[in-house]
């Protein structure tokens, strides 16, 4: 069963000045462990796709399902990483990661070992007692990735996760994300403006047209899969 499926999805927003057609006839099936990049100009509906996959917005037409289940309400078990991290400066790094299980009413202590493992995976071993303001932008995004992965989500959604980082950090984070993906084999949707980054990471790159966003082209890459 597909991890995520968009079936002929269109989305219009109602606004005071009339409807805005953000997305038209979007059709895509994402298999287990597949890495999909989505590139396209600003306003072509990339963020809208992620909002709909996580049940925060709904299609005007068409269907979306996660693991075969239609998305009809906010899906809390997806992992999401945004362009700007949403870490809380008054909580330690460890406590920031454990927010996820806390919010879901789970026993946070049960997740401690996994949180520490994830920190190790992203090269932040020993940083658990530090605070976000003590970390660089790249480090903060690494923590955001840990937080997104703590509850073993079936799908990792990333909306320009490295867009706010300097070029060098960004390049390094791309290599790290590739490594994380090789280790975890999560299904990933990765939104970016950077075609090179998209191609480097993905099994398939979805290229969108300007608004209304439609699929212009699907590029299959030849990643070496072990
Ligand atoms: P980006 O191009 O970086 O994805 P946008 O400016 O297109 O950022 O949108 C950021 C968020 O703001 C969107 O996810 C959407 O929810 C909201 N948004 C964008 N445009 C509008 C709008 N015209 N009215 C209300 N909310 C909007
Ligand atoms: P992208 O992420 O590719 O920049 P978005 O999904 O953020 O695109 O937005 C697609 C289009 O829909 C844009 O024109 C944006 O202004 C509009 N839009 C997004 N969210 C809203 C919203 N909540 N209300 C009205 N218009 C929106």
């Amino acid at each position: 069963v597909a991890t995520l499926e968009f079936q002929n999805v269109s989305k219009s927003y109602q606004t005071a000045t009339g409807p805005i057609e953000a997305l038209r006839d979007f059709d895509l099936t994402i298999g287990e462990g597949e890495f999909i990049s989505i590139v396209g100009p600003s306003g072509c509906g990339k963020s809208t796709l992620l909002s709909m996959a996580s049940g925060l917005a709904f299609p005007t037409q068409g269907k979306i399902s996660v693991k075969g289940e239609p998305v009809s309400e906010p899906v809390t078990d997806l992992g999401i990483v945004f362009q700007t991290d949403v870490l809380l400066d008054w909580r330690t790094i460890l406590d920031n990661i454990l927010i996820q299980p806390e919010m879901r009413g789970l026993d946070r202590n049960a997740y401690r070992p996994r949180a520490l493992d994830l920190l190790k995976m992203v090269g932040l071993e020993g940083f658990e007692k530090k605070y976000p303001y003590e970390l660089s932008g790249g480090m903060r995004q690494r923590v955001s990735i840990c937080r997104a992965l703590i509850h073993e989500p079936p799908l990792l959604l990333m909306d320009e996760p490295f867009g706010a980082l300097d070029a060098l950090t960004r390049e390094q984070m791309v290599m790290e994300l590739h490594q994380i993906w090789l280790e975890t084999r999560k299904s990933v949707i990765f939104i970016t403006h950077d075609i090179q980054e998209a191609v480097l990471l993905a099994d398939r790159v979805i290229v969108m047209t300007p608004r209304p966003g439609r699929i212009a082209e699907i590029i299959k890459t030849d990643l070496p899969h072990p």
Side-chain angles (χ1 to χ4, degrees), residues 80-93:
I80 310 184
V81 180
F82 300 100
Q83 178 167 354
T84 13
D85 66 74
V86 281
L87 302 179
L88 304 176
D89 262 334
W90 61 89
R91 298 187 69 151
T92 64
I93 296 307

Side-chain angles (χ1 to χ4, degrees), residues 40-57:
S42 194
C44 72
K46 302 184 296 297
S47 303
T48 297
L49 282 170
L50 295 198
S51 303
M52 292 191 297
S54 42
L56 300 171

Side-chain angles (χ1 to χ4, degrees), residues 31-214:
E32 205 178 319
E34 199 179 8
F35 196 121
I36 298 280
S37 295
I38 301 182
V39 292
S42 194
C44 72
K46 302 184 296 297
S47 303
T48 297
L49 282 170
L50 295 198
S51 303
M52 292 191 297
S54 42
L56 300 171
F58 296 96
T60 316
Q61 260 180 57
K63 271 203 305 202
I64 299 173
S65 34
V66 173
K67 295 203 136 190
E69 295 289 321
V71 176
S72 56
E73 54 185 52
V75 186
T76 55
D77 71 344
L78 302 181
I80 310 184
V81 180
F82 300 100
Q83 178 167 354
T84 13
D85 66 74
V86 281
L87 302 179
L88 304 176
D89 262 334
W90 61 89
R91 298 187 69 151
T92 64
I93 296 307
L94 181 66
D95 284 345
N96 264 287
I97 297 173
L98 294 178
I99 283 175
Q100 262 292 341
E102 262 176 54
M103 287 197 310
R104 309 176 74 219
L106 302 169
D107 172 18
R108 53 172 265 139
N109 285 322
Y111 285 85
R112 270 184 73 103
R114 180 167 162 75
L116 295 174
D117 279 351
L118 286 168
L119 280 172
K120 193 171 168 185
M121 180 177 76
V122 301
L124 290 177
E125 195 175 13
F127 279 76
E128 59 273 11
K129 293 206 176 100
K130 297 223 180 282
Y131 287 85
Y133 55 79
E134 300 179 84
L135 272 53
S136 70
M139 288 170 165
R140 292 170 65 113
Q141 276 311 55
R142 289 187 185 96
V143 175
S144 303
I145 293 172
C146 292
R147 174 152 83 185
L149 291 174
I150 185 73
H151 58 292
E152 305 265 13
L155 184 67
L156 183 58
L157 304 175
M158 308 184 92
D159 195 350
E160 297 256 2
F162 311 140
L165 303 175
D166 63 88
L168 203 65
T169 308
R170 190 173 175 135
E171 206 172 301
Q172 196 180 342
M173 293 293 293
V174 168
M175 300 325 289
E176 280 184 29
L177 177 60
H178 183 60
Q179 210 53 46
I180 291 170
W181 178 72
L182 289 176
E183 281 176 38
T184 60
R185 289 297 166 162
K186 288 282 166 225
S187 307
V188 182
I189 298 188
F190 180 82
I191 289 181
T192 180
H193 278 116
D194 185 332
I195 183 81
Q196 205 180 337
E197 198 170 279
V199 170
L200 211 60
L201 285 165
D203 294 301
R204 283 188 289 163
V205 179
I206 314 297
V207 183
M208 305 288 294
T209 64
R211 198 181 85 199
R214 317 177 62 151

Side-chain angles (χ1 to χ4, degrees), residues 1-2 4-11 23-30 49 52-53 59-71 215:
V1 52
L4 176 64
E5 195 169 9
F6 294 93
Q7 288 170 282
N8 250 305
V9 168
S10 297
K11 173 71 178 176
L23 206 66
R24 192 186 292 178
D25 298 333
F26 189 86
D27 233 327
L28 183 69
T29 300
I30 298 166
L49 282 170
M52 292 191 297
T60 316
Q61 260 180 57
K63 271 203 305 202
I64 299 173
S65 34
V66 173
K67 295 203 136 190
E69 295 289 321
V71 176
I215 296 181

